[in-house]
Amino acid sequence: MRMYEEDGATTDAPGRGLWVEEPARRPRMPDPVRASAVRAVLIVAVTLTEATITFFLALTGSWLAFPMVICGVAGTVVATWGVLDVWITRQMWHQRHGVVSAPSSAASPGRSWGEGRGPVRVARPR
């Protein structure tokens, strides 16, 4: 692969390419959790847009302000449900598929039969 130097000349020296794969910082969310999170973001975005429109209608004194307030209250209830749905779906996923649990760096080392360090215990679903 040809590389380009600062002056524009090409070289055949190996180096870092234009596209370098980097590992993700966090693992990808499970599909059901992602679906509920996308749904919640869309619902919240529509509700905030509706609230903005309601605010401007109220400023102008339009007759549409009152029906939009009623819709805004309903949208707030639905948006709250959407956010709770993400939380509940995430909890259900962890309960059904298990969570690998390891002590954090702040945790004290486990106690064994005299060494002071025990085996690392991993929580597994039954």
Side-chain angles (χ1 to χ4, degrees):
M1 175 165 78
R2 296 188 149 237
M3 304 295 293
Y4 291 94
E5 293 186 5
E6 291 182 10
D7 61 356
T10 60
T11 179
D12 289 327
R16 184 173 179 183
L18 295 176
W19 185 266
V20 177
E21 292 281 336
E22 294 182 5
R25 293 182 186 174
R26 291 192 286 180
R28 181 176 164 169
M29 284 190 291
D31 286 340
V33 179
R34 285 182 65 224
S36 64
V38 168
R39 189 169 45 242
V41 165
L42 290 175
I43 291 171
V44 168
V46 168
T47 303
L48 288 175
T49 304
E50 182 182 6
T52 304
I53 292 170
T54 303
F55 173 74
F56 287 126
L57 286 173
L59 279 181
T60 60
S62 175
W63 63 272
L64 284 174
F66 181 71
M68 288 292 287
V69 167
I70 301 299
C71 290
V73 170
T76 303
V77 170
V78 172
T80 304
W81 168 83
V83 172
L84 285 175
D85 182 44
V86 175
W87 183 61
I88 291 169
T89 305
R90 184 174 169 270
Q91 295 298 324
M92 284 178 33
W93 176 266
H94 286 308
Q95 286 180 358
R96 289 181 181 169
H97 300 286
V99 179
V100 176
S101 178
S104 68
S105 60
S108 60
R111 295 194 176 126
S112 183
W113 292 288
E115 296 180 11
R117 291 188 180 186
V120 175
R121 293 184 175 91
V122 177
R124 304 235 184 236
R126 294 182 181 186

